[in-house]
Amino acid sequence: MRKVIVTLSVIFSVTAWGQKKNTKTNNLVLYTYQTFNCENKGYFDPGKYNKEEIDGVNKLLYQFSSGLFDNHTVFKLSDLDDVRKNKDIYLQNLEKQYQEKKKELYGIQVINLPEWKKLHQETIQTFENEYQLKKEDLTAYSDPASLKNSKYYTACKEYIDAVSSPDKQKMYTVWKTFVEAKSKDNADPKLVMDKFKSQFSDPRKDDYALIQLIGFGFYNCANGSFRPDPNDEGTLYEKFDKVFVKLKQDCDEP
């Protein structure tokens, strides 16, 4: 089942409404775009905006907001072995994606308002940081000591020091503390700790420690250090919708 939402923006007063009625509808330009679960048809005033600027903001909000690079998340030993074996190939692919997306992102035109200029700059910074993090993450599974030179060393010192230390006991201690903290947020803490004990007794316990401390501890710490405040996102989506004099949203039921 689908529902249709029609939004009229800019109805501030009787006077403003009268002015809006005097604007011929055929002077407005249709702009269609897809959001998370809606097909949108917006009509904008070409005297205020141009399509290229609206396209730019649309890309920042919906195209460049996440999933910019291939993921090689390491959950288990086979994932770890794969990343180590194919590290150079994955790094080359990452570099190719980076160069292609960088050209597009840096060349985007946005609506000439402070919030959209700020969004553009923040998106560029997040893009650069995500690229750097992906590169460091792929390298670290083969060379944990490489993280000593990480851009995120200050923010994530505990994890980096643990995996790069020649003292394995230090890594084991941080690993155990990390898993204990995770277990408290799990519906079955005992199951989490039993799994840790099993991995700690395994001949490849060092690799299990790296999966937890690099793939989850370090990665999540670094990723969280440069992400914009998610509370701002809703406001920006609403502001984008208000670019249009009329907006028709055809949305799937959740």
Side-chain angles (χ1 to χ4, degrees), residues 3 14 28 34 56 68 73 75 90 113 119 147 151 171 197 204 224 235:
K3 62 180 179 180
V14 174
L28 301 177
Q34 184 75 33
L68 301 178
T73 308
F75 290 109
Y90 292 157
L113 289 171
L119 176 63
L147 289 179
K151 177 178 181 177
M171 180 173 71
K197 291 173 184 176
R204 293 188 65 179
T235 302

Side-chain angles (χ1 to χ4, degrees), residues 31 44-55 109 111:
Y31 184 88
F44 69 91
D45 181 353
K48 295 180 65 177
Y49 310 108
N50 65 59
K51 183 178 182 299
E52 290 72 25
E53 293 172 340
I54 297 176
D55 278 341
Q109 297 181 48
I111 296 169

Side-chain angles (χ1 to χ4, degrees), residues 3-224:
K3 62 180 179 180
V4 177
I5 303 172
V6 179
T7 304
L8 289 178
S9 60
V10 194
I11 305 179
F12 299 110
S13 65
V14 174
T15 302
W17 174 240
Q19 292 172 347
K20 190 62 64 179
K21 287 181 66 177
N22 291 333
T23 301
K24 293 181 179 179
T25 303
N26 59 10
N27 286 337
L28 301 177
V29 177
L30 172 65
Y31 184 88
T32 60
Y33 61 104
Q34 184 75 33
T35 54
F36 305 110
N37 65 330
C38 298
E39 295 178 3
N40 302 271
K41 291 183 178 180
Y43 295 83
F44 69 91
D45 181 353
K48 295 180 65 177
Y49 310 108
N50 65 59
K51 183 178 182 299
E52 290 72 25
E53 293 172 340
I54 297 176
D55 278 341
V57 175
N58 186 14
K59 286 180 180 180
L60 293 179
L61 288 174
Y62 296 104
Q63 179 180 328
F64 283 94
S65 58
S66 63
L68 301 178
F69 304 103
D70 289 344
N71 282 324
H72 299 287
T73 308
V74 176
F75 290 109
K76 50 188 184 293
L77 292 178
S78 58
D79 297 332
L80 178 63
D81 294 337
D82 173 67
V83 166
R84 285 173 171 168
K85 179 181 178 181
N86 298 296
K87 179 191 70 172
D88 292 340
I89 294 174
Y90 292 157
L91 285 171
Q92 288 171 9
N93 290 340
L94 175 65
E95 183 64 25
K96 181 180 179 182
Q97 292 172 17
Y98 169 73
Q99 294 298 339
E100 290 174 350
K101 292 177 183 291
K102 179 179 181 179
K103 183 177 180 180
E104 181 180 6
L105 176 58
Y106 276 68
I108 279 178
Q109 297 181 48
V110 297
I111 296 169
N112 188 26
L113 289 171
E115 60 263 36
W116 304 125
K117 290 182 177 181
K118 179 184 177 185
L119 176 63
H120 192 197
Q121 289 305 308
E122 286 181 345
T123 304
I124 288 174
Q125 292 170 8
T126 300
F127 169 78
E128 294 289 352
N129 283 321
E130 186 172 336
Y131 162 69
Q132 182 64 32
L133 176 56
K134 295 281 187 182
K135 185 164 61 172
E136 290 184 8
D137 187 61
L138 285 169
T139 302
Y141 289 114
S142 300
D143 181 16
S146 65
L147 289 179
K148 288 183 177 180
N149 299 316
S150 171
K151 177 178 181 177
Y152 310 102
Y153 180 80
T154 301
C156 309
K157 183 178 184 296
E158 179 184 14
Y159 301 113
I160 295 174
D161 285 349
V163 300
S164 62
S165 174
D167 181 3
K168 293 295 184 182
Q169 189 56 49
K170 181 175 183 178
M171 180 173 71
Y172 301 149
T173 300
V174 175
W175 176 25
K176 184 177 184 231
T177 301
F178 179 72
V179 174
E180 286 174 340
K182 283 176 54 179
S183 73
K184 294 176 182 178
D185 295 326
N186 192 279
D188 191 345
K190 184 177 183 301
L191 181 64
V192 175
M193 294 311 300
D194 285 346
K195 183 178 180 181
F196 165 75
K197 291 173 184 176
S198 174
Q199 292 176 345
F200 192 78
S201 301
D202 193 281
R204 293 188 65 179
K205 67 179 179 180
D206 287 4
D207 286 338
Y208 280 117
L210 292 181
I211 290 173
Q212 290 292 319
L213 297 180
I214 294 177
F216 296 97
F218 164 72
Y219 191 92
N220 290 339
C221 170
N223 191 52

